[in-house]
Amino acid sequence: MTAEIAILNRSSVALGADSAATVTFSRGQFEQEKKVFKGANKIFSLSHQQPVGVMIFGDASFMGVPWETLVKLYRENLGSRAFSSLSEYPEDFFSFLENHPHLFPAKAQDDAIFHEVAQYALNMQAHAEQGAKGQRQKNRALRDLIDHHYKKMKRAPLLNNITEKEFKSVSEKHKSNIQFIIDKVFESFTVSEANKKKLKFIFASAFTRLWSDHGPSGIVFAGFGKDEHFPQLRAFRCRGIYENRCSRVPAESETISRDQSSAVVPFAQTEMVQTFMLGYDPELVPIVDATMKKALKQLINETKQQTGDQNLCNHLSSLSKTIIDTFSDQFNKWVQVNHLSPILRIVDVLAKDELAELVETLITMESLKKRITAPVESVSGPVDVAVISKGEGLIWIRRKHYFDPEINLPYRERVKGVVNDG
């Protein structure tokens, strides 16, 4: 995991990112391994002429290709083109990826499909075996899981305008691999022919339907369209490119306007940002909720033992729900009035350098917490910060280099005349 933050007000958007990056390796057909590396670049200008930048989170690569490479290839392809709105940039970017056979050849897409289906099957197997005692319980758990996932996939929309006809064609194309995965992963289960048919539909849907709002990696687009006066932000979580379709789901989205003048948007590791914004650790909420419910339940049980009055107990049970709902509502209103609203009002009037300082501070706080408390330091390294404004475009406030630009004259010559080379 990593930590990235975007802070927007009506004049600009500040992007901040640590330098830790997760990379996923394949170990055989059914195994994957994740490693965290330091020194990654996660913020880039998307255009040399327009005030638009991107930031990545999650895995540092997409389908085995570094996001940095993909962004810079797209930037070269974009050239001097400019779009009226920020929302048009991600659509053009994903179209570029989908139509780039040299980056994502058919074999790479087929391998990605195999790993996607295999991982989905392994997760189902693990859930079916968890806590099961004996073969009968395992089989029953798997049957229930198959029914659940089959219904979920039936509801999920097809990926990027794939037709039902195309779905059947793609399912047929990959049926031998799907059958192999079913036989291999569920060899210790007794699966009926009807449920095998459902599994085939589930696994064909795993790479053709938008069944999850999560993905191993994500990309954030931020800045200004040509006709936009306030900054915008659009984020997407991405799974892969399957059959020349990019599997992605919209994530966070912010539109700064006269009515909404500021926003603080964290990505990946968000604990310290949420604590700063809310005034408390969000992990306390379920603890407080569970403690209150336990105390009220104990009160009802003791009342029943003392009085034996079931009507009174029913009344207390109903009253307990009202108490919890009222507490939650009043608490959230207090947080809104005393923490969120004041912070967002201040963010609205911060100067560009102050936005950058706030971004850097929040990332540093997250990094410090992970270094002290986490078994793996998943947020670390120097913090990169950039500010994007309508007039100046993307300006670096903090930026690391793996080399010293001052002693690399050929590099300086290549980027001469280019305002932002990130």
Side-chain angles (χ1 to χ4, degrees):
M1 297 294 287
T2 58
E4 294 83 19
I5 302 173
I7 301 182
L8 303 86
N9 64 16
R10 282 179 284 195
S11 69
S12 55
V13 50
L15 304 176
D18 74 320
S19 297
T22 303
V23 179
T24 303
F25 301 94
S26 293
R27 298 179 59 188
Q29 292 178 315
F30 294 95
E31 289 186 64
Q32 288 187 326
E33 180 181 352
K34 290 183 180 289
K35 287 189 177 294
V36 177
F37 295 92
K38 301 176 184 178
N41 293 317
K42 303 178 186 178
I43 302 173
F44 311 96
S45 59
L46 195 64
S47 168
H48 287 313
Q49 284 80 35
Q50 300 302 317
V52 181
V54 296
M55 181 168 65
I56 63 169
F57 61 96
D59 277 8
S61 61
F62 179 65
M63 294 276 291
V65 183
W67 275 113
E68 179 174 357
T69 300
L70 297 176
V71 170
K72 291 182 177 179
L73 285 173
Y74 172 76
R75 187 172 63 196
E76 182 180 351
N77 176 267
L78 180 67
S80 61
R81 288 186 295 135
F83 296 110
S84 298
S85 65
L86 179 83
S87 297
E88 295 173 80
Y89 284 96
E91 293 309 310
D92 192 62
F93 176 81
F94 290 123
S95 176
F96 171 78
L97 299 187
E98 291 172 341
N99 293 284
H100 211 304
H102 298 298
L103 282 172
F104 307 108
K107 184 180 183 308
Q109 293 188 39
D110 289 346
D111 289 345
I113 287 171
F114 185 93
H115 285 293
E116 181 76 23
V117 174
Q119 193 59 51
Y120 199 112
L122 288 169
N123 288 338
M124 287 184 67
Q125 177 203 41
H127 278 91
E129 292 179 341
Q130 186 177 17
K133 297 177 181 178
Q135 189 64 41
R136 183 175 295 179
Q137 282 192 12
K138 280 177 53 178
N139 290 335
R140 187 186 304 119
L142 181 61
R143 286 197 301 271
D144 292 342
L145 279 170
I146 290 172
D147 286 340
H148 169 74
H149 286 271
Y150 181 74
K151 291 175 183 176
K152 180 179 77 172
M153 288 303 192
K154 278 289 188 180
R155 294 191 301 267
L158 285 163
L159 178 67
N160 297 2
N161 300 317
I162 290 179
T163 65
E164 287 291 345
K165 183 178 179 181
E166 287 175 308
F167 172 74
K168 291 177 182 177
S169 174
V170 169
S171 302
E172 182 69 19
K173 175 183 174 182
H174 295 278
K175 70 176 184 179
S176 60
N177 278 341
I178 290 174
Q179 186 63 58
F180 172 77
I181 290 170
I182 291 172
D183 293 341
K184 186 75 173 175
V185 175
F186 301 108
E187 60 182 349
S188 65
F189 294 81
T190 301
V191 186
S192 68
E193 289 302 316
N195 277 333
K196 284 182 180 179
K197 187 176 180 180
K198 287 183 178 179
L199 281 173
K200 290 174 184 177
F201 176 82
I202 292 168
F203 295 150
S205 298
F207 58 90
T208 56
R209 295 180 186 270
L210 294 173
W211 54 271
S212 173
D213 59 358
H214 295 287
S217 62
I219 183 167
V220 181
F221 297 80
F224 301 76
K226 190 170 56 174
D227 297 337
E228 291 170 335
H229 304 296
F230 300 125
Q232 317 289 310
L233 180 145
R234 302 290 183 270
F236 298 83
R237 288 180 173 83
C238 307
R239 303 198 70 83
I241 290 185
Y242 312 130
E243 297 296 324
N244 299 318
R245 303 293 214 290
C246 182
S247 178
R248 64 187 184 274
V249 290
E252 289 75 5
S253 175
E254 292 292 344
T255 299
I256 298 301
S257 63
R258 293 182 184 276
D259 297 325
Q260 181 178 340
S261 59
S262 62
V264 177
V265 191
F267 299 91
Q269 305 273 13
T270 64
E271 292 93 333
M272 292 306 295
V273 180
Q274 291 180 313
T275 300
F276 172 78
M277 295 296 294
L278 300 174
Y280 65 90
D281 188 337
E283 293 183 0
L284 290 174
V285 173
I287 297 173
V288 171
D289 186 60
T291 303
M292 287 183 64
K293 287 179 178 178
K294 183 178 179 181
L296 290 168
K297 186 176 180 180
Q298 185 177 353
L299 173 65
I300 294 168
N301 290 337
E302 289 183 2
T303 301
K304 186 175 182 179
Q305 289 175 4
Q306 293 291 328
T307 68
D309 189 337
Q310 186 61 47
N311 289 331
L312 176 59
C313 292
N314 291 341
H315 176 69
L316 287 175
S317 180
S318 176
L319 187 60
S320 296
K321 186 179 184 305
T322 302
I323 290 171
I324 292 172
D325 291 343
T326 302
F327 170 80
S328 178
D329 182 59
Q330 293 298 318
F331 181 76
N332 289 334
K333 286 180 180 177
W334 188 89
V335 169
Q336 182 72 42
V337 170
N338 292 278
H339 282 274
L340 278 173
S341 294
I343 289 174
L344 291 176
R345 282 197 298 269
I346 292 298
V347 168
D348 178 31
V349 297
L350 287 179
K352 298 178 181 67
D353 59 333
E354 293 172 319
L355 278 182
E357 184 180 0
L358 179 56
V359 161
E360 184 176 14
T361 300
L362 291 174
I363 295 284
T364 302
M365 287 167 57
E366 190 74 52
S367 178
L368 177 62
K369 181 180 179 182
K370 295 302 177 187
R371 186 164 72 246
I372 294 172
T373 63
V376 177
E377 192 177 347
S378 55
V379 180
S380 64
V383 177
D384 290 336
V385 181
V387 174
I388 305 171
S389 62
K390 187 73 172 177
E392 290 83 24
L394 187 146
I395 299 296
W396 289 102
I397 308 300
R398 299 275 185 275
R399 191 187 185 196
K400 65 182 174 298
H401 275 290
Y402 68 91
F403 62 91
D404 183 352
E406 294 301 318
I407 62 174
N408 284 271
L409 295 180
Y411 167 81
R412 293 170 61 187
E413 289 297 317
R414 284 197 304 273
V415 301
K416 186 181 292 185
V418 176
V419 176
N420 291 301
D421 54 294

